[in-house]
Amino acid sequence: MKIQNDEDWEIYLYLREIEKEWRRNNPAHREHELLKIFPDAKPVITEKIREWEQIRDEFFNTIKKRLTVIKHTDDDDFSKWFWREWIKETDGKKLMEAEGHIKRLKRLLWATKEKKPPKDWVTGECKALALSVPIEDVLDREFRRTGRTLTALCPFHDEKTASFTVYSDQNRYWCFGCNQGGDVIHFIQSLHNYSFKEAVRYLID
Ligand SMILES: [Zn+2]
C-alpha cells in the first residue's frame, strides 16, 4: 500500500483497525509441519500468495473508492458512519482475510526453506515478519481489552493488578510497574533472555 497523502493515511489507519478485529477472531496457525510432509505444495503456495495479493489489491482499491465517495457526499454524519461500518464488515473483512492469508503463507514458505540459514542470519524481511507477530499471541496470558489497549499481569514482575499494557495498534508494550517497554522483538528478548537475532528467529520460525 502506497501512502501519498492525508487521505491515504486515513484509509490506512482505518484498515489497521479492521486488521486488529480480524486478527482477534483468527488466531495464528502453525502449519509448517504439514508442509514438511507435502514438499510438493511449495510452488502451489507461491502461486497462492500471488493470487491473494491480487485479491487484496482489488479490495484495497474498492475500499479506497468507496470511502472517497462517502467522504464527499452530503449525507449526515450518521449515514457516513453507517456506510463506513458497512464497508468494514464487508470488503474490509475480505481484505484482511486476504492480508492474513498472505502473511501466513509467506511465513509458511519461509519456515520450510530447504537450506536453513545459520542461526544468526537476519534480514530486513525477517525483522518485518517478526514485528508483525502480535504480542498478545506470544504472551500466553489472560488479557483485558479496553478499546485498543490490552492489559495483563506482567510476566517480568509479581503483581496482583495488571499493569502490563499492550498497544495493539503499534504492537508495542509498556509495563507501568517495571517502567519498561518496547516492540515484540524486545519483548521476546526480555522474556527469554535472547539476543536480537535469536528473538527474531524465535518469532518467525
Ligand atoms: Zn512489570
Side-chain angles (χ1 to χ4, degrees):
M1 288 172 206
K2 263 193 204 152
I3 296 170
Q4 284 159 337
N5 50 41
D6 283 355
E7 207 159 286
D8 285 353
W9 178 243
E10 209 176 294
I11 293 167
Y12 172 76
L13 290 178
Y14 170 84
L15 294 174
R16 289 279 298 170
E17 216 175 287
I18 313 171
E19 187 182 1
K20 299 293 164 193
E21 275 169 38
W22 185 84
R23 267 195 195 152
R24 231 171 287 149
N25 303 319
N26 298 273
H29 294 292
R30 305 216 158 211
E31 295 162 310
H32 49 266
E33 291 305 321
L34 196 65
L35 200 66
K36 277 180 192 150
I37 309 169
F38 301 107
D40 295 349
K42 278 180 200 174
V44 182
I45 290 173
T46 314
E47 185 56 37
K48 279 278 160 211
I49 291 174
R50 221 169 295 144
E51 276 173 33
W52 280 115
E53 279 172 342
Q54 221 166 356
I55 294 170
R56 177 198 58 193
D57 293 347
E58 276 164 29
F59 278 120
F60 179 75
N61 288 330
T62 310
I63 291 172
K64 195 174 168 177
K65 263 182 231 153
R66 289 194 170 155
L67 286 180
T68 311
V69 171
I70 293 169
K71 203 175 178 177
H72 299 292
T73 54
D74 298 328
D75 284 356
D76 54 79
D77 285 350
F78 175 76
S79 303
K80 285 186 179 180
W81 171 83
F82 174 83
W83 287 114
R84 282 173 69 91
E85 286 301 304
W86 185 79
I87 293 171
K88 214 191 261 187
E89 285 303 311
T90 53
D91 296 321
K93 283 215 170 133
K94 286 179 200 153
L95 175 94
M96 284 310 133
E97 197 187 322
E99 190 74 59
H101 281 301
I102 294 163
K103 275 188 190 157
R104 183 175 55 89
L105 290 170
K106 279 189 176 170
R107 229 182 271 174
L108 191 57
L109 212 55
W110 202 93
T112 51
K113 266 190 184 161
E114 266 168 41
K115 278 181 194 159
K116 285 227 170 179
K119 275 282 176 223
D120 62 345
W121 185 84
V122 164
T123 63
E125 202 192 3
C126 300
K127 191 185 162 191
L129 262 175
L131 284 172
S132 76
V133 179
I135 293 175
E136 61 264 38
D137 285 3
V138 287
L139 177 63
D140 191 20
R141 289 207 173 185
E142 203 72 42
F143 277 100
R144 213 182 58 158
R145 178 175 292 278
T146 322
R148 290 178 201 172
T149 58
L150 301 156
T151 46
L153 292 175
C154 179
F156 303 115
H157 80 277
D158 273 333
E159 61 175 359
K160 288 199 173 88
T161 354
S163 50
F164 182 83
T165 311
V166 174
Y167 302 94
S168 43
D169 274 356
Q170 294 108 34
N171 200 28
R172 293 179 72 86
Y173 75 98
W174 182 263
C175 174
F176 290 94
C178 312
N179 274 323
Q180 264 197 64
D183 58 30
V184 64
I185 298 174
H186 183 267
F187 173 70
I188 291 298
Q189 280 184 262
S190 314
L191 194 65
H192 300 293
N193 206 11
Y194 282 168
S195 70
F196 175 81
K197 285 169 182 175
E198 283 170 334
V200 170
R201 300 286 307 209
Y202 173 89
L203 285 162
I204 60 180
D205 277 351

